[in-house]
Amino acid sequence: MTLECKNIDEKLLDFLYEELPEDETAAFREHVAGCARCQAELDSFGRVRTAAKSLALDEPPQAASAKLMYQAAQLVPRGKVLPLFSKVIKHPAFAMAAAFVVVGGFASWQLFNHKMVMPDAAKVAVEAPPAPPSPTVPAVAAPPPAQAAAPEGAGVFLDGKDVEGNKLAAVAKEKAPAKAEAAPAGWVAPTTAKPSPKELAVPARHAAAKKDSFDSPLADDVSVGDTKAAGKKLAPSAPPSDPKWAPPAASPKPVTTVTATPPASTTVTRKQEPAAAGDQVAQRGASSSSSYGELPLGRDENAELQRSLKTGNGAPSTAPRPQSPYYKRADEDNAISAGRALMQEQNQQDRMRDLDSRLGGRTAKGKVVARQAPETNAASQATPSNEEVQQLQSRMHVEKPEACVGVSQTFREMRLTRPEMVTPEYRIKFAHCQYKAGNFAEARKELESLRVDAPSFTGRIDAELKRLESERQIAEPDVMPEAASTVESKKYRKPAPARPAKQAAPAAVDAYH
Amino acid sequence: MRDDSDEALMLRYRDGEVRAFEVLLTRHRKPVYNFILRFVMDPALAEDLLQETFLRVIKGTESYERQAKFTTWLYTIARNLCVDASRRGKHRKAASLDAPLDEEEQGATLLDRVSDQKGAVDRQVIGKQLGERIARAVDQLAEEQREVFVLREVLDLPFKEIAAIVGCPENTVKSRMRYALEKLRDALEEYRDLAQAAQ
């Protein structure tokens, strides 16, 4: 091996794999051509390369490629990220911070949305577009609807309240525009957005308290379940010529028409109006109240009810009505308090229903019948005798405990939560409810305390005391007036245990003597 | 896109273009798989290592810089995985041609049992037999020689790049390659005529 061959060995692989530069390739070829050893070395490596070319390349499994493409699609980079920021986003604290931001943002959005949506809802409720006229079938003797003069937007508050007679229509007629005009921008009105049936009943009670005669403080409290009871207050019918009862022109508010539908709809299946924008809210509240009116009633009872609704007892009150305390809460921009008040109203309704079911025996017969199952109602639907009707009529002004329970509960809650809202009129009304419900002692106590607190109401207090006494004499004729205040305690007092020992003592003495 | 260089495709994939990675995978999956297969000599393990190799490419995309050649980076990853797998001893034990098949020292070897293919005249058959023979011979190479031989002969990578992949000087790579060629030449000496016939 010459020195030149040693240098050639170093370049053999480069020449074999064609990596030798051009200028050296020629010198290499020249040497190999004249050197048998280098030529043999090159040929032997050439044969190995030839044999190596027969090495077959295996095909990789396709599943591997599919998996890799899936991974590549899942982990595809979204552009280059700054190194510092990439470290930040990989830190666990970043996930916590992000979660906090998301939750906080959602909560803020909820609060913001709640505050901003409510006025819109109120606006929609007030400015609800007119719907087509009501196809409600008139009753046999349909009393004239009082919503002829109802303002725009009143239907929102009236829908579904027709079972309360025309009174609520008038209430809404007065209340709706006042609210619409007085509501400032950003006014939070949860009660407006979702009025409950009770919500309108509360101002009705306030309005009733302002009646001069105070004949029937509960006249406005003829709540949903008291339709029949109210109907049995037989009062002279309002003359048709009375402008208050004048038949309305074409009512621009179909919802109002629905509301104006007289309580005669108790026998006519009420046809639901196509839900307007703001009426859906009111229909929600109406669902519970209108259910009473759809219950099957006896024929005479129905007629009696229709007759009563034509009377003055069911006439709408035009007196200005104080606003519900819940509206004041809304004016205070306290949406939470207003929502709580709404819930309390609904809970109160539930309690009233429960109590009504429990006091079924004490309520008017028509009401009890209306709450019975259809199969058990068949016997009651038979025509009652004249004596039974008279007996019912005589009891009607006494037996309305379910309405009084609602007033009493509201009164007690209000006394605890907002005592400033407990007006003397409301206290008189509460006392009235108490003795109507048979709680003569509590009613008397309330009136006596009111006499001290509000001397200006002495006349009305005396009138109520007289009425209380007359009611008590009917209910408890054997109790002396002076002992009336303790009737309740005596009624539920445990009987004194017998003392036979004292009775036997004289006999023993006689025997001794 | 298919005409783009590996580096360009890699940059495009780094920018979010999945299609670029698909081209890369199609282009390199077969040679990489064969390199791994020649290294670990276990198809199942080779498949796993192939996936792991490209998965590391995917995960390392964001840190990829166009300073190095893509194939160098790719085969470096594959080689490291193969070395780790070899160290764990999970690769299949290569069958020795010279060692006796049984425990008896006088027993026949695998080389003895290889049928004499001199009678075969069909060139295709000769080529197939030669391929099987060289495959076994390649498997008998030392690991560092085998990897260099595969990278150079099978994958046609230049010595400079092989040196970068293996992590040793280029002359060392050439030396390993020369040893590998000499061993293969000795192993194929008796098939010299067959190899000449196959040419």
Side-chain angles (χ1 to χ4, degrees), chain A residues 163-196:
Chain A
V163 289
E164 299 188 27
N166 296 323
K167 303 178 303 303
L168 286 181
V171 171
K173 181 175 64 178
E174 298 171 5
K175 187 170 290 296
K179 289 174 63 178
E181 293 170 2
W187 178 71
V188 179
T191 54
T192 306
K194 187 180 179 182
S196 66

Side-chain angles (χ1 to χ4, degrees), chain A residues 225-287:
Chain A
D226 303 329
T227 305
K228 280 192 65 64
K232 294 189 177 182
K233 289 185 175 180
L234 301 177
S237 303
S241 59
D242 190 346
K244 186 169 60 177
W245 296 102
S251 176
K253 296 293 285 185
V255 180
T256 306
T257 307
V258 172
T259 337
T261 303
S265 62
T266 50
T267 55
V268 179
T269 301
R270 182 173 317 161
K271 298 181 180 179
Q272 295 295 332
E273 288 296 317
D279 297 338
Q280 294 179 350
V281 179
Q283 286 177 357
R284 246 179 289 160
S287 59

